[in-house]
Amino acid sequence: MLDLEVVPERSLGNEQWEFTLGMPLAQAVAILQKHCRIIRNVQVLYSEQSPLSHDLILNLTQDGITLLFDAFNQRLKVIEVCELTKVKLKYCGVHFNSQAIAPTIEQIDQSFGATHPGVYNSTEQLFHLNFRGLSFSFQLDSWTEAPKYEPNFAHGLASLQIPHGATVKRMYIYSGNSLQDTKAPVMPLSCFLGNVYAESVDVLRDGTGPSGLRLRLLAAGCGPGVLADAKMRVFERAVYFGDSCQDVLSMLGSPHKVFYKSEDKMKIHSPSPHKQVPSKCNDYFFNYFTLGVDILFDANTHKVKKFVLHTNYPGHYNFNIYHRCEFKIPLAIKKAIAQSMASLDSACGWTYRPAQPSLHHLLFPENAGGQTEICTTYSKWDSIQELLGHPVEKPVVLHRSSSPNNTNPFGSTFCFGLQRMIFEVMQNNHIASVTLYGPPRPGAHLRTAELP
């Protein structure tokens, strides 16, 4: 049985590990993997069709603990202990729940002190006792006791007092005063562990397509010799197609891993007549897992030729390898909008003149120029297609597996190429990754369907 310390509005853990509010999903999974002999039977729960509509949940069934992660930023939002009989709990080093100590209302009052009166929820048949960043739910011993705790009974005073001997059914650790309104806090400094994280990634464009990335980065810097002086550092860096390996290292630091491509499964889609000729040297990736970004270098020139941005949606083959990349990609829609506006004007019996104000100014007042619209990590492929307003070629079906004898339990994804970008789309219509590639070299053909 786990013996854990409760820190309201912060964490649940022991001397070896700690689940901290605001920690990234990948760090929580790393803790579970490291202590797999002690913490067993872990379930990952998510919505397959609507992954953004419900929290991402790690359910520790053997230990009665549930970790709820925000669906968008994938940071720990709520720690719930749903079965107190499966775990020992203490506060300030003193147990308030164990095999010998029952977590009654008297024990909670003795351990945590006074707070506001309890609130009775008639729908759940539970009393809720709330501290800042910590809530306890008590269940009535019998259904016959429920009516006298209704808010209208005895002028509502009875519903303020939790009955004697009631025991805790659930405990919640969260940030703020209200469990219903809580949000995942910013990542605490203790979770950086020497890594750099990307707060946002903006794709830069030139006249024909992407030209590079501008990254807003977060790091935890420490003062000279004093750990207490640790503070958040925010800075911006930019990397471009054609940058050398040394340029990228000076901008982003060392990658977490360097991966050399052994084969190119998309080579068959290239217009090159030498599809079967093996290359004499292999291109290589810099994998920045905490940024959610891969950078591909040409094996001959050692210069950037591709960027890969990962969204880290559950249900994808690469889930939890990369942190979610919060990207923004401007999409050129001027031609598509012009065509749709011309069709609309023609249907109305008007004459479309691109040099003069058109209906676009009325439909898109925030973007009167009609040049671009923004695609984000949370955009769906249908909305992107509708925005571009022109048909896209049939997709390339991408199968992933760790070996020829293994199958991918999550199924295939579909890859669409446009504007020097490859959108990898999951079966639920969300974008799994975006591959950006630079302008073609003089005399070379653009390989629009190439993937790492």
Side-chain angles (χ1 to χ4, degrees):
M1 182 179 291
L2 296 178
D3 192 353
L4 305 177
E5 178 84 18
V6 174
V7 183
E9 207 174 13
R10 181 189 158 188
S11 65
L12 178 69
N14 54 30
E15 296 179 354
Q16 287 74 41
W17 51 265
E18 187 177 47
F19 294 125
T20 307
L21 296 176
M23 78 182 323
L25 171 69
Q27 285 191 16
V29 173
I31 292 174
L32 298 175
Q33 291 175 332
K34 183 176 181 180
H35 300 278
C36 60
R37 294 185 178 181
I38 301 173
I39 306 175
R40 302 177 180 177
N41 302 329
V42 179
Q43 297 176 339
V44 181
L45 307 176
Y46 63 93
S47 174
E48 185 174 3
Q49 294 302 319
S50 303
L52 298 176
S53 61
H54 302 280
D55 290 332
L56 181 60
I57 298 174
L58 294 181
N59 188 13
L60 284 59
T61 56
Q62 176 181 279
D63 305 294
I65 299 173
T66 302
L67 306 177
L68 285 76
F69 294 82
D70 186 272
F72 287 84
N73 56 44
Q74 297 186 340
R75 296 197 304 268
L76 183 56
K77 183 173 71 173
V78 176
I79 303 171
E80 176 186 354
V81 181
C82 49
E83 296 184 63
L84 278 77
T85 57
K86 295 183 177 182
V87 64
K88 297 179 181 179
L89 299 174
K90 56 187 176 181
Y91 175 65
C92 294
V94 179
H95 284 95
F96 65 90
N97 174 66
S98 67
Q99 293 173 323
I101 302 174
T104 62
I105 178 59
E106 292 79 16
Q107 181 64 51
I108 297 301
D109 183 65
Q110 178 182 345
S111 299
F112 292 89
T115 185
H116 298 291
V119 178
Y120 179 67
N121 187 312
S122 58
T123 304
E124 300 176 341
Q125 299 285 333
L126 293 175
F127 275 100
H128 299 290
L129 187 64
N130 301 317
F131 298 84
R132 179 173 176 83
L134 183 68
S135 291
F136 295 94
S137 298
F138 297 82
Q139 189 172 32
L140 298 177
D141 292 334
S142 65
W143 292 95
T144 58
E145 297 183 19
K148 72 177 183 179
Y149 294 106
E150 294 291 345
N152 295 327
F153 182 84
H155 306 288
L157 297 180
S159 67
L160 302 180
Q161 300 181 6
I162 299 176
H164 177 77
T167 57
V168 177
K169 183 179 181 182
R170 292 191 182 92
M171 183 191 73
Y172 303 90
I173 302 173
Y174 54 93
S175 177
N177 288 316
S178 172
L179 176 61
Q180 288 72 29
D181 300 330
T182 189
K183 297 180 180 179
V186 297
M187 187 164 58
L189 298 176
S190 59
C191 292
F192 276 84
L193 303 176
N195 292 306
V196 177
Y197 292 84
E199 183 180 51
S200 62
V201 176
D202 294 324
V203 176
L204 306 175
R205 287 185 63 94
D206 55 22
T208 59
S211 62
L213 304 179
R214 181 173 63 244
L215 303 97
R216 182 176 173 84
L217 304 176
L218 304 176
C222 297
V226 182
L227 185 61
D229 287 344
K231 58 182 180 180
M232 183 88 69
R233 293 178 53 215
V234 182
F235 51 97
E236 289 191 356
R237 294 290 186 268
V239 289
Y240 298 90
F241 290 111
D243 281 356
S244 66
C245 179
Q246 291 80 1
D247 292 333
V248 174
L249 289 173
S250 65
M251 289 290 105
L252 303 181
S254 299
H256 295 89
K257 185 178 180 181
V258 179
F259 175 76
Y260 290 87
K261 293 178 62 175
S262 58
E263 58 179 334
D264 188 353
K265 294 182 178 180
M266 291 296 168
K267 200 171 186 180
I268 189 66
H269 298 283
S270 169
S272 170
H274 306 291
K275 297 174 183 178
Q276 301 300 326
V277 179
S279 57
K280 297 181 180 179
C281 50
N282 298 326
D283 295 342
Y284 55 94
F285 282 98
F286 277 7
N287 303 126
Y288 291 95
F289 297 130
T290 57
L291 305 184
V293 175
D294 291 331
I295 302 177
L296 179 66
F297 293 90
D298 185 273
N300 296 312
T301 63
H302 300 285
K303 293 185 177 181
V304 176
K305 60 187 294 188
K306 285 184 185 177
F307 297 103
V308 185
L309 314 178
H310 299 271
T311 60
N312 196 44
Y313 276 107
H316 186 257
Y317 185 78
N318 289 334
F319 175 64
N320 202 50
I321 295 178
Y322 299 86
H323 289 250
R324 172 164 288 169
C325 179
E326 300 278 354
F327 60 75
K328 293 182 180 179
I329 305 175
L331 298 176
I333 62 170
K334 183 176 181 181
K335 182 177 180 181
I337 289 294
Q339 291 174 348
S340 61
M341 289 302 103
S343 300
L344 181 57
D345 289 351
S346 176
C348 295
W350 302 333
T351 302
Y352 177 72
R353 295 183 177 86
Q356 298 179 3
S358 69
L359 294 181
H360 175 76
H361 297 268
L362 300 177
L363 299 178
F364 301 94
E366 74 282 2
N367 183 25
Q371 297 278 335
T372 59
E373 286 290 336
I374 302 299
C375 165
T376 70
T377 308
Y378 311 106
S379 299
K380 288 190 173 183
W381 178 243
D382 285 350
S383 63
I384 296 175
Q385 280 189 306
E386 183 178 354
L387 186 66
L388 294 173
H390 60 80
V392 180
E393 294 181 358
K394 291 183 179 181
V396 174
V397 181
L398 182 60
H399 302 278
R400 283 190 173 94
S401 61
S402 56
S403 70
N405 295 326
N406 290 345
T407 59
N408 180 358
F410 305 111
S412 304
T413 53
F414 306 95
C415 301
F416 299 85
L418 56 94
Q419 298 182 17
R420 299 215 317 257
M421 294 177 288
I422 300 293
F423 290 84
E424 181 189 356
V425 182
M426 301 170 61
Q427 296 184 16
N428 60 9
N429 203 33
H430 282 279
I431 298 172
S433 68
V434 181
T435 301
L436 318 173
Y437 47 91
R441 297 187 302 273
H445 293 287
L446 185 64
R447 296 187 288 178
T448 59
E450 186 176 357
L451 277 175

